[in-house]
Amino acid sequence: MDEALRIQQLRKQLETYAREYYIQDAPTVTDQEYDRLMHELEDLEAGHPELADPNSPTQRVIGAILPGFEKYTHARRMLSLGDIFSREELEEFVARVRKEFPGASFVAECKYDGLAMALHYEDGRFVRAVTRGDGLTGEVVTANVRTIRSVPMYIDAPGHVEVRGEVYMPKVSFERLNEVQTTLHLPLFANPRNAAAGSIRNLDTSVAASRNLEIFLYWYQNALEHGINTQAEALEAMHDMGFPVNMDFAICDTVDEIWAFIERIREKRSGLPYEIDGVVIKVNSLEQEEALGLNAKTPRYAIAYKYPAQEVQTRLDDIFLTIGRTG
Ligand code: IVH
């Protein structure tokens, strides 16, 4: 077979195997077979430097020191949401939407505590990852996001695709990271969100690669262009394209149904492998979403219900008194 073709084939195949392994928890090949194909690809790429591709599975965890982060202006602003804390405020939100769209239905999802990220694809190829930044302009952190194993480098979708989600550090990875920091006498990270943000904004890509970051996608920026009409369909479509999507969401027609989801997630929350700080409620119809638009700076089509801050118990093991350099 033509070697260029074989390289393409191996890249796709290894990507599929990685997805089965990392996202679906259902590998279809043995580790040995995976390693064998990876070596075949490495050998072929070594003989064809003109076909080098930073998205190749062989390149994803190799460290590099970046000169800095470029800036990128978002096609549509990356917004934050208005917060609510009670059932009464939820009723008010639903009433405000229903005033304009009496038949509106809603999608309720977990609110992940990490950092917002936009992923861009051109003709099925991952081309760029951008942080929220100030909402208008973010930083291009493509090389660091490439180290997140569950982010697909190739998807089956034509044209331009932009999806948005939250990069996070699983609770166990956070605990392990702070154990290592303690051993090395380095400062501890305050919470998984800070640890994730620090990893993504590090110019040494081997740092992000070593931090076991994950991502959940919750927003299909140009869904309408791809014939998708509701938020629930957008979540399904992103899942089908191979993105990590939390499929534990609910389509709700009443405040009672939204509240039941909030209560169910409240119960589950401490047992989840990642931090959540609430539930996001979005209008399901994307047409209604566009029509509702924005308030001064937050959307009118979505809101965040926040759980009260979780109480944690800290055990103080010991205190070391030291004298600083200046006495
Ligand atoms: S939707 C305009 N869905 O919370 C709507 N955001 O304060 C865009 N977040 O900036 C956001 N989980 O970083 C959405 N399921 C979810 C989310 C979520 C976490 C974050 C996101 C956003 C912030 C809102």
Side-chain angles (χ1 to χ4, degrees):
M1 184 197 283
D2 180 299
E3 291 192 335
L5 206 64
R6 179 67 183 151
I7 287 176
Q8 290 312 330
Q9 196 184 53
L10 283 167
R11 284 174 180 167
K12 277 227 147 177
Q13 207 170 6
L14 286 162
E15 168 99 2
T16 305
Y17 292 154
R19 187 179 306 154
E20 289 167 352
Y21 184 88
Y22 288 106
I23 304 188
Q24 293 153 0
D25 261 337
T28 59
V29 287
T30 61
D31 290 358
Q32 288 88 333
E33 175 68 357
Y34 183 84
D35 291 342
R36 192 184 66 73
L37 295 171
M38 189 67 100
H39 285 138
E40 185 188 344
L41 179 58
E42 278 165 359
D43 289 345
L44 284 170
E45 286 180 345
H48 290 278
E50 77 284 3
L51 298 176
D53 179 350
N55 285 345
S56 171
T58 60
Q59 301 302 306
R60 291 188 69 172
V61 290
I62 297 173
I65 307 291
L66 309 170
F69 296 116
E70 283 174 36
K71 299 270 192 272
Y72 185 90
T73 301
H74 299 292
R76 192 170 160 205
R77 263 176 63 186
M78 279 180 88
L79 299 160
S80 56
L81 298 168
D83 290 334
I84 57 169
F85 300 91
S86 66
R87 189 180 157 123
E88 290 68 46
E89 287 172 294
L90 173 65
E91 280 165 7
E92 285 163 22
F93 166 73
V94 169
R96 277 198 303 275
V97 170
R98 287 259 164 88
K99 211 171 144 199
E100 281 175 62
F101 296 104
S105 70
F106 299 86
V107 168
E109 302 166 18
C110 289
K111 183 173 190 298
Y112 315 101
D113 198 10
L115 77 152
M117 189 68 64
L119 307 179
H120 296 220
Y121 293 77
E122 299 292 348
D123 287 326
R125 232 179 133 261
F126 174 65
V127 291
R128 187 182 305 113
V130 193
T131 63
R132 174 161 76 185
D134 64 4
L136 290 170
T137 302
E139 284 178 318
V140 179
V141 290
T142 314
N144 282 337
V145 169
R146 247 188 218 114
T147 69
I148 305 175
R149 302 304 300 247
S150 54
V151 170
M153 293 295 105
Y154 307 97
I155 57 171
D156 263 332
H160 179 68
V161 168
E162 179 182 343
V163 292
R164 294 177 178 180
E166 202 84 352
V167 171
Y168 66 91
M169 185 178 286
K171 289 175 186 169
V172 279
S173 308
F174 171 71
E175 276 152 27
R176 239 177 262 143
L177 173 62
N178 265 352
E179 278 167 23
V180 173
Q181 295 288 105
T182 307
T183 320
L184 299 176
H185 299 288
L186 291 170
L188 299 187
F189 290 95
N191 53 52
R193 175 163 37 82
N194 285 352
S199 315
I200 284 293
R201 300 202 61 252
N202 201 303
L203 290 169
D204 178 353
T205 63
S206 67
V207 170
S210 71
R211 294 277 171 86
N212 296 314
L213 299 175
E214 290 288 340
I215 191 167
F216 270 133
L217 283 307
Y218 47 66
W219 191 258
Y220 191 162
Q221 177 50 39
N222 60 333
L224 284 168
E225 289 168 31
H226 290 267
I228 288 156
N229 298 308
T230 64
Q231 168 65 9
E233 280 169 34
L235 292 170
E236 296 277 356
M238 291 189 290
H239 179 72
D240 291 348
M241 282 189 271
F243 290 106
V245 175
N246 182 358
M247 298 306 276
D248 190 4
F249 63 86
I251 304 174
C252 304
D253 286 312
T254 62
V255 171
D256 278 344
E257 285 170 18
I258 300 171
W259 194 252
F261 182 85
I262 289 173
E263 290 295 319
R264 184 164 68 73
I265 298 298
R266 196 195 304 276
E267 294 295 312
K268 269 179 72 169
R269 183 182 178 198
S270 64
L272 292 173
Y274 42 82
E275 299 269 1
I276 63 166
D277 57 351
V279 164
V280 179
I281 303 108
K282 304 174 183 170
V283 167
N284 193 21
S285 155
L286 300 183
E287 202 182 305
Q288 291 173 4
E289 175 236 296
E290 283 213 334
L292 284 158
L294 312 179
N295 286 321
K297 62 182 190 357
T298 56
R300 297 174 66 224
Y301 51 81
I303 205 138
Y305 172 86
K306 292 284 215 39
Y307 294 117
Q310 246 170 351
E311 279 186 36
V312 291
Q313 278 193 3
T314 306
R315 189 185 69 194
L316 183 61
D317 282 334
D318 211 342
I319 296 177
F320 298 94
L321 295 177
T322 57
I323 299 179
R325 191 175 48 82
T326 56

